[in-house]
Amino acid sequence: MTMWLVSGIVFLAAWHLSAALLTAAEPAERTIDDVSRRVVKIFGAGGIRGLYAYSTGFLVSSKGHLVTVWSHVLDDQAVTVILHDGRKFEGKILGAEPQLDLAVLKIEGDDLPYFDLDSASTSGVGTRVLAFSNMFKVATGDEQVSVLHGVIAARTRLTARRGAYESPYNGPVYVVDAITNNPGSGGGVLTTADGQLLGMIGKELRNTQTNTWINYAIPIGELKPVINEIISGKFVARAERSDDSANPRRYVPVDFGLVMVPDVLFRTPAFVDRVLPGSPAAKVDIRPNDLVLFVNDDLVQSCRLFKEELGRLEAGDVLKLVLRRGNALIPVEMPVEKKAESDTDKSRTRNGKNKPADEDDE
Amino acid sequence: MNNSRTTFRSLSCLAALLWCLGAPRAAFCIDNRPADLESREELAIKQATALVTASLVRIETVGGLDRIGQVLTVTGPTTGVIVSPDGFIISSAFNFASRPASILVTLADGRRLPATQIATDKLKMLTLIKIEAENLPVPQAAPAETFRVGQWAIALGRTLDESASISVGIISALNRIWGKALQTDAKISPVNYGGALVDIEGRVLGILVPLSPQASGEVAGVEWYDSGIGFAIPMVDVLATLDRLKAGKDLTGGLLGITIKGQDIYEGQPIIDRVRYGSPAYQAGLRDGDAIVELGGQAVKRQAQIKHLLGNRYAGETVSIKVKRGSEELVREMTLVEKLVPYESAFLGILPVRDGVGKPADLGVGVRFVVDDSPAAQAGIARGHRILKFNDHDVNSPAALLDLVSRQRPLDRARLVVQQEGKRKELELTLGSLPASVPLELRPSPIVPREKELANKELKTGRFTEKMPAHEHEYWAYVPEDYNPEFKYGLLVWLHPSGDTMEASILKAWQTLCDERGLILLAPKAGQIAGWIPDETEFVKDAVEQFFEKYSIDRSRVALHAYGGSGPFAYQLAFKHRQLFKGISTVAAPLLAPPPDNEPDFRLQFHLLCGDNDPQIRNVVMSARGLSELKFPVVYRAIEGAGHKYPSAEFVTEIAVWIDSLDRI
């Protein structure tokens, strides 16, 4: 019996020891190796005039479905996909959703290492992250992709201001405190420090207001439904969003009874010059010299931008303005009435001739 | 008996067994868990951020200039840090460069309030604004003695929707930008300008601003965004000046009014080259030639130290100085000023015989021409005389005489020794100021056509076009056919207006004048026919320097010539490279930005022409007036009856004579 007890003790001690070793946190190297196997290098079309012809992608099924950014690299219908160990495949485009900057490709493979999209994670500002990508195509042939480290700098949306970002994607993103904004990085992965998938690294993108590049990744959660639809063959491309740059001119300030100051400078602030008596603006007590600051929560920095915002309104909307009067901010609301056909025609002609609204006599 | 021993053994084994089961893992664990340290760091960073984030605000501006000079101003949001509970907020001057009409602040809790601009610290590039609020959270400032290179530094901003942004780095260096700022490798960009740089304990180290050691102004340093080089003004320094800013007073850097001899700021013992008239140094009795021994109580061994000691001081501050004059040591107190009295050079009234002309063995400076009604004319100096001494200094070259005269002011008395017809004569006269007219009767200085072949067979003469290899840019030029490298030629740099290089008409107007007056014409071409862009100043500078190397050029007669749209670019070029250009002649081109001060070491003369029917005439008149007030030598002429067109031969000749007289003393 003693023998049994002694061996029991020895066994338990050994069990503790090994358990302790096994549950020690994964050393960083093992995580990186693990993740790198699921990231691929994509080589394709050069676009116009020698734009870089490479990007990154990641496997999402053992049969070879992979996700990448929708970019000029995919202009040729077939691209070359190279795995971490140098195995070369031809990749075919299964489907794409340009509104999400997303493309799904397929290579003919079996038993490939892949990311399980269902176990992807989300995270908050300040969390350590790793970024894996083939930036500058430093990784050749059978080399692993490059790894960057950093933290999540912020969570934000790319819709901040119309035209602020030249991107069709306008949903939530992780902004990353690492320089991921490089040629070839698009389609790479953002993971937590222990290898959990967070997002897909986005294309090179510039914030036109500050003229600076932005390092960002699209959360997997935003992409997962469409990726699954494409893989299962049930994907139907969404209708193209109406082209904002067409600048509809459905409404003008005078439709609400507002006469703005003459728009002489590029950035004349949107000061109200006169309010027409009996108009919707008069009913909500807008006064001369009020400065229109916000239209439906968007800051308008000039007369020009104010008129653009009005131009986009549709009948039935509610127009919410925030005005500055002296040192106070005053919110007002006005319903957007349907315009009579002749009025709409008149405003079209008026604007077709580029006459500022306040020069017309009513 | 066996039983008790067995029992004991069993019990002890059982106890050991139980102990094994219950023993804390740690007893057997190998503590190699790097993730534990990392996750604690991550937590610390998040907590430090949380302590400060409530004091960060988002600032948006409305209206304002869309350009400053030729740089587009940004329109995006910027960040600010609350510095007092009643609503004072400090931010980077970066977003206020456009002088916005309206400022809007969004607090961390979502409230939006209008703000007024209170004051700007122009030395540290910070702006103070105010909102009407109460009980706002103010973050703690980290004491300066805790700053350590290598410590965690977290950069916080609030320009993105939904959350504050963070970037993690370290303090890379202290006392950067001549003592003003902390340097960090966290990513600093418009995303967090005006925001806080925070230590791992959640105290504010400093306020993030774009800065550059080489340039100044609201947008200097922005080109380094996200580069691993970022700057923050220490919070303790900001708090020290807060009361003055709250009172609405703008703060500027302080000037002493001295320049130091020598180009190398690391050379030994700094010696004063010039003391500016009317400056604090002048009023303290300092003189040219004094050696600076101590400044602000610190021993000074190199010029660089002076920049460090003064770089962080404001106008209005007092600083003590100790200088050595011969064997005497003097100690003085000086109060730094915002602006110095505009520098004005004295004028003697002669044009010197140029180096390279005449017998080299002659002493002194030959007089080629005497300006009508000048002090020299009134003292009886005439063409052919030689000036041997000025105020007891021997004069051996025109440059030496110019230097001496430039240290005097109009109405100063001066003693000269002049050689007239073989006899030495001593004169005393009262110096005057540079006239605002061109001596049209000035005849060209003779240049002998070259007799032998050019040593460098590849050197071109006549009219030719070249491409600059490094720059993808072209220029065309005209060198007189009989170019003689033994003489020094003036250089006329023609900057064409947008849309038209005017090659043919300029060559036609200037060819004969170049031959007559010994001028080389260099005409760079803008990259885009639409006009010049600020980046192209480097190309023009390189082209000019290339010509200095190839041809024999008199550095005192290098002038820019611009017409209409190329005016702003020409002014920018002249002010940026003051060591290259000595004159700038423009037609119908007003100044768009205030010029820098007139500096004794970088002589710059102006010739402004404008047709009196040209729409720009009023602006050109105002520019001329502004330049005169700063005591720049300006010649302004209105062309009667002319609209916006390149001037006629009469006026082009005047410009040529003006260039020929740029070396007047």
Side-chain angles (χ1 to χ4, degrees), chain A residues 5 12 16-17 20-21 125 127-128 153 155-157 161 177 209 213 266-267 291 294 301 324 327 329, chain B residues 17 20 41-42 46 60-61 63 65-66 73 75 102 104 112 114 161-163 165-168 225:
Chain A
L5 273 169
L12 272 168
H16 268 286
L17 201 59
L21 280 172
V125 174
T127 307
R128 292 193 117 93
R155 295 180 61 130
T156 187
R157 304 184 71 90
R161 211 136 268 110
D177 183 31
Q209 283 182 322
W213 296 99
F266 187 70
R267 276 198 217 152
L291 174 64
F294 289 92
Q301 292 179 311
R324 179 175 182 167
N327 233 20
L329 291 184
Chain B
L17 186 66
C20 281
E41 276 176 353
E42 190 179 302
K46 287 180 175 170
E60 282 162 307
T61 57
L65 303 169
D66 60 57
T73 55
T75 57
S102 209
L104 224 33
R112 269 194 189 129
D161 290 343
E162 288 178 30
S163 75
S165 66
I166 87 169
S167 175
V168 180
Y225 84 90

Side-chain angles (χ1 to χ4, degrees), chain A residues 101-118:
Chain A
D101 258 347
L102 173 70
V104 177
L105 313 184
K106 176 87 174 51
I107 57 178
E108 293 312 316
D110 237 340
D111 222 12
L112 298 168
Y114 67 98
F115 285 105
D116 180 5
L117 292 182
D118 289 330

Side-chain angles (χ1 to χ4, degrees), chain A residues 22-38:
Chain A
L22 284 172
T23 55
E26 300 269 291
E29 286 159 40
R30 224 189 286 162
T31 308
I32 286 171
D33 202 47
D34 223 24
V35 172
S36 294
R37 287 163 188 277
R38 304 164 203 197

Side-chain angles (χ1 to χ4, degrees), chain B residues 278-289:
Chain B
S279 66
Y282 179 88
Q283 276 156 1
L286 299 182
R287 291 192 215 146
D288 300 359

Side-chain angles (χ1 to χ4, degrees), chain A residues 243-353:
Chain A
D243 190 2
D244 276 338
S245 61
N247 262 341
R249 290 239 177 255
R250 290 190 274 268
Y251 289 87
V252 288
V254 87
D255 290 333
F256 299 92
L258 290 169
V259 179
M260 311 301 290
V261 292
D263 195 357
V264 285
L265 294 175
F266 187 70
R267 276 198 217 152
T268 308
F271 281 104
V272 174
D273 196 20
R274 284 181 288 134
V275 179
L276 301 176
S279 63
K283 291 201 189 98
V284 290
D285 194 25
I286 298 182
R287 302 179 202 166
N289 289 329
D290 282 350
L291 174 64
V292 179
L293 281 177
F294 289 92
V295 173
N296 293 338
D297 278 346
D298 280 322
L299 182 74
V300 282
Q301 292 179 311
S302 63
C303 260
R304 194 175 48 88
L305 290 172
F306 177 52
K307 289 174 185 166
E308 270 178 32
E309 291 291 332
L310 292 183
R312 273 187 265 265
L313 293 172
E314 308 220 358
D317 287 348
V318 174
L319 175 63
K320 287 193 278 224
L321 299 178
V322 176
L323 311 161
R324 179 175 182 167
R325 187 178 299 157
N327 233 20
L329 291 184
I330 308 199
V332 296
E333 271 185 30
M334 289 181 280
V336 179
E337 306 285 344
K338 191 159 157 50
K339 291 186 6 170
E341 266 311 302
S342 53
D343 276 349
T344 323
D345 282 336
K346 237 202 270 174
S347 53
R348 273 213 207 103
T349 330
R350 207 188 284 141
N351 290 298
K353 288 190 187 152

Side-chain angles (χ1 to χ4, degrees), chain B residues 288-318:
Chain B
D288 300 359
D290 288 349
I292 301 180
V293 176
E294 249 182 49
L295 186 62
Q298 308 258 40
V300 171
K301 296 209 183 58
R302 278 176 292 281
Q303 191 192 142
Q305 284 174 301
I306 297 178
K307 293 181 75 145
H308 274 296
L309 290 165
L310 291 177
N312 205 20
R313 287 180 196 267
Y314 293 99
E317 280 186 33
T318 345

